[in-house]
Amino acid sequence: MPQEVRGVIAPGKNEPVRVETIVIPDPGPGEAVVKIQACGVCHTDLHYKQGGINDDFPFLLGHEAAGVVESVGEGVTDVAPGDFVILNWRAVCGQCRACLRGRPWYCFDTHNATQRMTLTDGTELSPALGIGAFAEKTLVAAGQCTKVDPSVSAAVAGLLGCGVMAGIGAALNTGNVGRGDTVAVIGCGGVGDAAIAGSNLAGAAKIIAVDIDDRKLATARTMGATHTVNSKDTDPVEAIRELTGGFGADVVIEAVGRPETYQQAFYARDLAGTVVLVGVPTPEMKLELPLLDVFGRGGALKSSWYGDCLPSRDFPMLIDLHLQGRLDLAAFVTETIGLDEVEKAFERMHHGDVLRSVVVL
Ligand code: APR
Ligand code: ZN
Ligand code: ZN
């Protein structure tokens, strides 16, 4: 029987979001209905609302979510009703070249749930990132669900579904930060702070946080930054070199997504060091670098896609580390809010007042 629940809709380009009644069908083959317990507010939700991703309005927003599986469709064996799960963007196929080479975040043939959630008048909804979790329940592919230890709070667990995983993974998976490394992180929002926490976890010797906002630098220290640089008044490349004995950092993680900060990241790393781009640029942005510098400085220029994570490997591991007190994921939850407060949360995010606002149901 289809069910009616409340969900947060972006009705049209730049229109305020609102809570509406939505209809969730029974799960079909390979699908699951998940009772959402928490869902973080992310920049990508705002981009959907602004029409910056595509024009498939109305959107059912929300994608950094955790909850409990309520029912599953035919053929689902990996998860069962009652399982506590974190949702991820894509149900990967497991068989394409990217999957077989252990890089499922580039899967060519994802199997997300078909878009069958609607408004009560039958209007089809487009779920954000194939999830749509600012809602009491949502329909996803079972492959988008990863079981984790249910003793963790849902508000914390949901964060691994996107931004926090992106940052931790940029350090651990893409940057391969190791014990004794020097690391610089440019941009200390939720993603950059997660990269700092990840570098700390990996045993980095120095973690230099760079931002233009002193409030962000203060938070970065609580996440594990050992040094901070306000790049509004100081040249960050110079400052990072000075703090690393004149060499530059072994790994520099860019978590802003702008050409000038990427350029800083490029020159702030040591010879043969690694730059990781995790901030998402816009289609118009271009990077100009002297080819001789690219050649002469060696090392690696990498981008990190969803923290290059394997959800079934990384989500349970990071939740375990959190439960053991070795990774403070709760520090990323600035506030918990209700479904009807998402519009206000966008405002606060825009002003840089929060790391994450999390809708709790
Ligand atoms: N130099 C240094 N820091 C900057 C600069 C700059 N020129 N411009 C902005 N910042 C800082 C902001 O002050 C803020 O602390 O970058 C941080 C960005 O953080 P958020 O806006 O909270 O964004 P976040 O969620 O961390 O995501 C960062 O990663 O996944 C992508 O789409 C996401 O591109 C975005 C980036
Ligand atoms: Zn695949
Ligand atoms: Zn997100």
Side-chain angles (χ1 to χ4, degrees):
M1 276 285 285
Q3 320 181 48
E4 295 195 347
V5 302
R6 296 187 317 136
V8 178
I9 304 301
K13 195 171 172 134
N14 283 324
E15 287 174 37
V17 302
R18 57 174 187 251
V19 177
E20 294 254 5
T21 301
I22 61 172
V23 183
I24 314 279
D26 285 335
E31 294 177 338
V33 168
V34 178
K35 201 167 178 298
I36 301 299
Q37 294 181 326
C39 182
V41 179
C42 172
H43 285 86
T44 305
D45 295 303
L46 183 59
H47 288 165
Y48 272 110
K49 167 190 138 143
Q50 294 167 334
I53 307 234
N54 61 53
D55 285 328
D56 297 338
F57 289 99
F59 292 107
L60 174 59
L61 297 180
H63 61 274
E64 302 191 342
V68 172
V69 175
E70 179 185 78
S71 56
V72 297
E74 215 184 293
V76 174
T77 52
D78 288 349
V79 289
D83 284 348
F84 179 67
V85 295
I86 298 176
L87 300 182
N88 75 68
W89 306 349
R90 307 203 277 183
V92 298
C93 78
Q95 279 154 22
C96 70
R97 188 165 188 274
C99 282
L100 291 175
R101 285 169 62 82
R103 299 167 190 155
W105 51 92
Y106 285 119
C107 176
F108 306 135
D109 185 23
T110 55
H111 295 215
N112 283 6
T114 29
Q115 302 191 2
R116 294 189 290 116
M117 291 184 280
T118 63
L119 294 174
T120 46
D121 67 2
T123 307
E124 242 179 58
L125 293 169
S126 308
L129 288 171
I131 294 177
F134 289 146
E136 290 162 327
K137 293 176 187 178
T138 194
L139 176 77
V140 291
Q144 291 176 269
C145 301
T146 305
K147 272 201 273 187
V148 297
D149 189 329
S151 56
V152 68
S153 95
V156 163
L159 298 182
L160 290 183
C162 182
V164 170
M165 184 67 241
I168 295 178
L172 295 182
N173 297 334
T174 319
N176 282 318
V177 172
R179 187 175 61 219
D181 279 350
T182 52
V183 178
V185 176
I186 302 180
C188 302
V191 175
D193 278 345
I196 289 170
S199 302
N200 193 21
L201 197 60
K206 275 187 190 166
I207 304 172
I208 305 162
V210 180
D211 204 290
I212 49 174
D213 181 338
D214 280 327
R215 294 176 304 167
K216 299 292 183 165
L217 292 172
T219 314
R221 275 204 186 264
T222 69
M223 298 287 179
T226 55
H227 301 77
T228 56
V229 175
N230 188 327
S231 55
K232 224 170 166 175
D233 20 77
T234 313
D235 175 357
V237 177
E238 288 296 310
I240 292 166
R241 287 220 183 120
E242 241 164 67
L243 289 165
T244 53
F247 295 110
D250 294 310
V251 181
V252 185
I253 298 168
E254 197 278 8
V256 184
R258 301 194 53 80
E260 57 275 23
T261 41
Y262 194 82
Q263 194 126 20
Q264 291 164 0
F266 179 82
Y267 286 106
R269 83 201 157 116
D270 193 6
L271 296 173
T274 301
V275 181
V276 178
L277 176 64
V278 60
V280 182
T282 61
E284 317 78 57
M285 291 177 181
K286 295 222 161 36
L287 178 69
E288 207 173 317
L289 286 173
L291 200 48
L292 191 59
D293 285 353
V294 178
F295 174 77
R297 299 180 62 84
L301 309 179
K302 293 174 136 186
S303 68
S304 185
W305 182 241
Y306 201 172
D308 293 352
C309 75
L310 292 169
S312 55
R313 177 194 65 190
D314 295 339
F315 292 176
M317 168 194 67
L318 293 170
I319 293 298
D320 285 347
L321 287 170
H322 168 72
L323 289 172
Q324 294 160 8
R326 295 157 74 191
L327 171 67
D328 183 10
L329 293 174
F332 290 89
V333 182
T334 312
E335 59 173 2
T336 57
I337 60 172
L339 268 186
D340 50 352
E341 293 170 286
V342 171
E343 186 66 39
K344 261 197 299 192
F346 281 148
E347 198 59 33
R348 295 197 62 197
M349 182 174 76
H350 186 66
H351 289 115
D353 296 341
V354 290
L355 283 181
R356 277 297 186 265
S357 305
V358 179
V359 171
V360 172
L361 291 145

